[in-house]
Amino acid sequence: MAAAAATAAAAPRPEAASPQWAPPGHERARDAAGLGDCEDAPVRPLCKPRGICSRAYFLVLMVFVHLYLGNVLALLLFVHYSNGDESSDPGPQRRAQGPGPAPTLGPLTRLEGIKVGYERKVQLVADRDHFIRTLSLKPLLFEIPGFLSDEECRLIIQLAQMKGLQRSQILPTEEYEEAMGTMQVSQLDLFRLLDQNRDGRLQLREVLAQTRLGNGRWMTPENIQEMYSAIKADPDGDGVLSLQEFSDMDLRDFHKYMRSHKAASSELVRNSHHTWLYQGEGAHHVMRAIRQRVLRLTRLSPEIVELSEPLQVVRYGEGGHYHAHVDSGPVYPETICSHTKLVANESVPFETSCRYMTVLFYLNNVTGGGETVFPVADNRTYDEMSLIQDDVDLRDTRRHCDKGNLRVKPRQGTAVFWYNYLPDGQGWVGDVDDYSLHGGCLVTSGTKWIANNWINVDPSRARQALFQQEMARLAREGGTDSQPEWALDRAYRDARVEL
């Protein structure tokens, strides 16, 4: 329960980046002033008011998560355009010098699924046809064999190794108590957040459903019961906490318990290493070619694709995994998207990664395990509490991947892509698609390499337009010399892969 109370009171992003089975970041939410016809377009909540996505729980959750999952990609992106010489925040004066109100953006394109198994032919590169196959309708998920050549896969791995990979860390414990100290939530309110069925008792699955993360550990029923025992939270040992038992607890005991228990790699929400590869102007020609291929695949505007996150490359060694999560977080008036926050003339406490689409590439054939699982793909209904039944947690990719509805086997060169949001009926971003829940199954033998291209779109049409306008201005003023020094792979634009 340490994790339960702690994370629920305070506390991820994909088979790939950020992540964790909670929202991968946080954000703001009002439209910037001076946007003409777009002024009165408020940001809608992207999650139904229930369960983990309830606004009250979300706010509690994000106070903790935002300290650790701030999207470094946004920083890199803005460093790219500002060349590190000026403040990353353009500021009111610089915004005022822009070329006027941002234009209204056209509708976002969206591929139709038709039916599971449906195939269509597309031409993404010259003199070659690719076939897109529909894998599910909920979420809208597709597979493209041979999207990358074997040589391109090897080059991406080589560039990632040359740049260097770092552990995909989730929730370091150093600032844990500091984060909890910022909370202004009573124990009674916390109990109500956890008590989903409103019966005045906390069952293990209610605690697990709200406890994505503790000190970076993936919490199991056994973990929760160990904590109950250690801090004497459950005197009768029935695994259920009454309101009185919960009220009698001292939450500081949870923090102490979590600090004293370091998680092993196998116990983490995500066990992998990753790096980012720049794909903008001046990048290796293969990196540029892949971005252009993604542009043709998604049929989105060049501005949206080019201003999205760099390519994330991830390595899972034997024993590597990533428990089920969604790639994008809900957006409330208290949040803002990581990629547009620096051009918004507003101040809100949280940010999140607004990833309209995920395009995932398999860079090698995995000897054993390593599938991408979509636990509830094409379910008739979605109920968060039904993800945990008895001793089976469908989000647990180490123990229960075989029980998920859909598993995609890693095949070198294959790409899968899906939409993380539902349409809003007006050609823009709607609610988060709960069915996009996915994770990386346990690698039982060998090594698994993947890469991710996320396409970032702000649910606020006006703010996305302002962002694109400001980035275009900075690009015009900075020219080709505004390329960032962190883009190490630029030095390898002429590199050749040993085949």
Side-chain angles (χ1 to χ4, degrees), residues 211-393:
T211 307
R212 299 301 192 277
L213 314 168
N215 60 342
R217 292 172 64 180
W218 176 257
M219 306 309 297
T220 66
E222 295 80 10
N223 297 147
I224 300 296
Q225 288 177 315
E226 286 172 10
M227 286 187 283
Y228 283 174
S229 176
I231 65 174
K232 299 179 173 55
D234 182 21
D236 54 15
D238 63 355
V240 178
L241 296 184
S242 67
L243 175 57
Q244 185 60 52
E245 289 172 331
F246 190 85
S247 300
D248 290 341
M249 295 186 305
D250 187 340
L251 292 183
R252 289 174 296 184
D253 292 338
F254 290 139
H255 312 330
K256 294 175 183 176
Y257 181 89
M258 297 306 288
R259 281 203 316 273
S260 65
H261 287 71
K262 299 295 183 182
S265 295
S266 61
E267 298 175 310
L268 294 175
V269 173
R270 179 182 185 186
N271 182 16
S272 64
H273 290 75
H274 72 273
T275 193
W276 305 92
L277 296 181
Y278 175 66
Q279 292 183 283
E281 292 296 334
H284 190 283
H285 66 92
V286 170
M287 303 304 296
R288 289 296 296 156
I290 292 172
R291 171 152 279 182
Q292 292 303 309
R293 207 173 305 162
V294 168
L295 176 61
R296 288 190 288 273
L297 170 68
T298 62
R299 295 182 295 169
L300 294 167
S301 72
E303 293 81 9
I304 286 178
V305 175
E306 291 285 4
L307 292 174
S308 292
E309 298 171 53
L311 184 76
Q312 186 199 46
V313 183
V314 187
R315 182 188 71 227
Y316 295 89
E318 189 167 318
H321 68 278
Y322 195 169
H323 290 304
H325 57 280
V326 291
D327 283 357
S328 290
V331 176
Y332 295 118
E334 296 82 5
T335 65
I336 196 170
C337 298
S338 297
H339 73 287
T340 58
K341 66 176 181 177
L342 294 180
V343 299
N345 186 19
E346 50 195 300
S347 177
V348 293
F350 307 126
E351 64 180 79
T352 191
S353 299
C354 299
R355 292 163 170 170
Y356 175 64
M357 293 181 65
T358 296
V359 186
L360 185 154
F361 313 106
Y362 296 110
L363 304 180
N364 73 323
N365 296 310
V366 183
T367 306
E371 301 92 342
T372 303
V373 63
F374 292 81
V376 293
D378 284 327
N379 256 17
R380 288 188 177 183
T381 59
Y382 176 87
D383 176 13
E384 188 166 32
M385 291 304 295
S386 69
L387 294 170
I388 307 171
Q389 297 290 343
D390 300 321
D391 293 329
V392 176
D393 186 346

Side-chain angles (χ1 to χ4, degrees), residues 146-150 152-153 156 290 293 361-363 412-414:
F147 186 90
L148 300 178
S149 68
D150 292 352
E152 288 172 328
C153 290
I156 293 172
I290 292 172
R293 207 173 305 162
F361 313 106
Y362 296 110
L363 304 180
Q412 187 177 42
T414 293

Side-chain angles (χ1 to χ4, degrees), residues 64 67-68 169-181 214-216 255-256 258-263:
F64 182 50
L67 295 177
Y68 309 110
Q169 301 226 348
I170 294 179
L171 299 185
T173 60
E174 295 77 39
E175 298 174 349
Y176 193 78
E177 277 199 79
E178 180 183 341
M180 292 305 297
N215 60 342
H255 312 330
K256 294 175 183 176
M258 297 306 288
R259 281 203 316 273
S260 65
H261 287 71
K262 299 295 183 182

Side-chain angles (χ1 to χ4, degrees), residues 427-487:
W428 204 250
V429 176
D431 291 341
V432 170
D433 189 346
D434 294 323
Y435 294 91
S436 67
L437 179 71
H438 65 284
C441 297
L442 180 69
V443 176
T444 57
S445 178
T447 301
K448 170 186 173 183
W449 286 89
I450 64 166
N452 295 280
N453 260 149
W454 284 295
I455 309 302
N456 303 113
V457 178
D458 195 311
S460 165
R461 219 166 181 158
R463 198 162 52 220
Q464 179 71 29
L466 177 63
F467 167 72
Q468 292 179 199
Q469 181 185 54
E470 182 69 2
M471 293 301 99
R473 184 183 69 80
L474 291 174
R476 286 194 304 270
E477 292 178 0
T480 57
D481 292 336
S482 65
Q483 300 301 321
E485 292 307 314
W486 57 261

